[in-house]
Amino acid sequence: MKKVLVTGGAGFLGSHLCEKLLEEGNEVICLDNFFTGSKKNIEHMLDHHYFEVIRHDVTYPISLEVDEIYNLACPASPPHYQFDPVQTTKTSVLGAINMLDLANKCKAKILQASTSEVYGDPEVHPQPETYRGAVSTTGIRACYDEGKRCAETLFFDYYRQHELRIKVMRIFNTYGPNMDPYDGRVVSNFIVQALKGEDITIYGDGSQTRSFCYVSDLINGMVRLMNSDEHITGPINVGNPKEFSMYELATIVLDLTGSKSEIVYRKLPQDDPLQRKPVIELAKRDLGWEPSIELKEGLLKTIEYFKSVV
């Protein structure tokens, strides 16, 4: 049995990760300040003998004894991370420093939940891990994008300077149960609008693309990366390489929900990427991982979840 710390453990991804780690027989500490995390996401685990919850902000140090750390703490949707951009940057940078210091003290292995946002609005498509990105350091998304880029830098500096065992995972768009219905992400937006019979809002002309990975596939990739050989540090892309335009996604959601909502178009937000698709050859080769759940199958599960919360 390993003692595993999950920062951001009450969030969308964190709650699924905690569940997976408990199923595998680990002792799990969920650390969250509940800014975007929800107690509802973890309430079914609260009576588990090997599950513990600590309310704590990762921008402040904490002393624990653990074997592994999954660092997921950070608001991940634009409305949430732009609400307090200074705190978002602090969460990524100071949070990384504090968790790396803890890992160094405990001689623990540590995984950073990085993001495809480090590629910015990419000039290379699809995006391999070798691509360095096209990111605005002064735009409204920079608090998240640059915070995550700096966190990656810190992970590799600790790896070189302290010989810390690190794993860096670049997460592409992920969806599924436990998403906040009002987090401003495209999947949750479209499903909630469709279920309520409201207009489906597409920003831009609908031709911009994303690649959508179902949450269980993503979590399987994350755990495989943590358990991979010591020499595999990443960065490594984990996501679904099947690409869909925003218009295609909207029409699929309308079809699956049976909604009569109309599609309307609004101005594209500043620095919003026009394309996003991962190259996952490293994940296939080094982790033996690739996604297995098709978009319609995952959306049906997600729609059922949203029916119970909106």
Side-chain angles (χ1 to χ4, degrees):
M1 177 181 288
K2 295 178 292 189
K3 182 178 284 189
V4 185
L5 172 65
V6 179
T7 74
F12 164 45
L13 295 181
S15 57
H16 284 279
L17 177 60
C18 287
E19 197 171 55
K20 172 81 170 175
L21 293 170
L22 286 173
E23 289 173 357
E24 292 187 345
N26 300 293
E27 183 176 349
V28 177
I29 302 172
C30 165
L31 188 148
D32 208 298
N33 67 353
F34 295 98
F35 172 60
T36 57
S38 171
K39 290 182 179 178
K40 288 184 179 179
N41 290 341
I42 57 172
E43 62 183 355
H44 63 289
M45 294 180 273
L46 293 177
D47 292 332
H48 196 292
H49 187 64
Y50 293 112
F51 185 67
E52 180 182 355
V53 181
I54 300 175
R55 181 186 286 269
H56 182 80
D57 189 323
V58 293
T59 62
Y60 297 95
I62 189 169
S63 183
L64 298 165
E65 291 295 331
V66 295
D67 301 306
E68 292 179 351
I69 301 169
Y70 288 83
N71 187 37
L72 276 63
C74 190
S77 71
H80 286 158
Y81 66 64
Q82 291 168 9
F83 174 77
D84 188 346
V86 172
Q87 185 63 26
T88 296
T89 304
K90 286 182 177 180
T91 300
S92 287
V93 178
L94 296 179
I97 290 170
N98 289 330
M99 289 305 109
L100 287 162
D101 283 340
L102 178 62
N104 196 36
K105 173 188 172 186
C106 297
K107 304 306 177 189
K109 186 162 39 172
I110 182 169
L111 182 146
Q112 167 68 4
S114 191
T115 172
S116 61
E117 297 295 333
V118 301
Y119 298 122
D121 188 3
E123 298 163 342
V124 171
H125 189 77
Q127 295 81 55
E129 291 86 350
T130 52
Y131 176 54
R132 296 184 179 182
V135 181
S136 167
T137 61
T138 59
I140 60 172
R141 300 171 71 101
C143 59
Y144 184 70
D145 302 355
E146 291 298 320
K148 289 289 191 176
R149 285 165 68 94
C150 184
E152 287 195 12
T153 300
L154 287 162
F155 265 67
F156 279 90
D157 285 339
Y158 271 74
Y159 169 70
R160 287 183 287 261
Q161 187 170 333
H162 299 291
E163 298 183 348
L164 203 60
R165 293 177 296 159
I166 67 162
K167 308 286 181 179
V168 175
M169 174 179 176
R170 290 178 178 165
I171 298 172
F172 282 68
N173 291 63
T174 306
Y175 69 99
N178 293 4
M179 292 183 80
D180 180 346
Y182 305 104
D183 66 3
R185 297 188 226 202
V186 65
V187 171
S188 49
N189 278 356
F190 286 1
I191 292 175
V192 169
Q193 289 169 340
L195 291 176
K196 289 186 170 184
E198 299 172 351
D199 290 339
I200 302 288
T201 307
I202 291 180
Y203 294 93
D205 63 7
S207 64
Q208 66 270 36
T209 65
R210 296 291 185 273
S211 303
F212 301 100
C213 186
Y214 189 67
V215 62
S216 61
D217 280 337
L218 189 285
I219 295 302
N220 286 338
M222 185 178 289
V223 172
R224 284 197 184 198
L225 177 56
M226 178 64 94
N227 294 335
S228 62
D229 291 341
E230 294 291 317
H231 72 278
I232 299 173
T233 60
I236 192 163
N237 291 337
V238 177
N240 194 318
K242 293 187 178 179
E243 192 175 10
F244 295 87
S245 72
M246 296 301 94
Y247 178 78
E248 287 177 305
L249 177 65
T251 57
I252 293 170
V253 168
L254 286 172
D255 179 57
L256 295 179
T257 58
S259 174
K260 302 300 182 184
S261 296
E262 299 289 333
I263 295 175
V264 298
Y265 296 87
R266 298 287 184 266
K267 183 180 178 181
L268 190 69
Q270 179 187 339
D271 297 331
D272 196 58
L274 297 179
Q275 300 178 105
R276 193 57 63 71
K277 175 183 176 179
V279 174
I280 62 167
E281 297 311 307
L282 279 181
K284 288 180 179 180
R285 185 193 73 191
D286 293 345
L287 308 180
W289 177 90
E290 60 184 309
S292 62
I293 296 179
E294 297 292 335
L295 181 62
K296 286 188 177 181
E297 179 187 354
L299 284 175
L300 282 171
K301 295 178 181 181
T302 309
I303 289 165
E304 286 306 306
Y305 167 76
F306 277 123
K307 284 180 179 177
S308 69
V309 296
V310 299

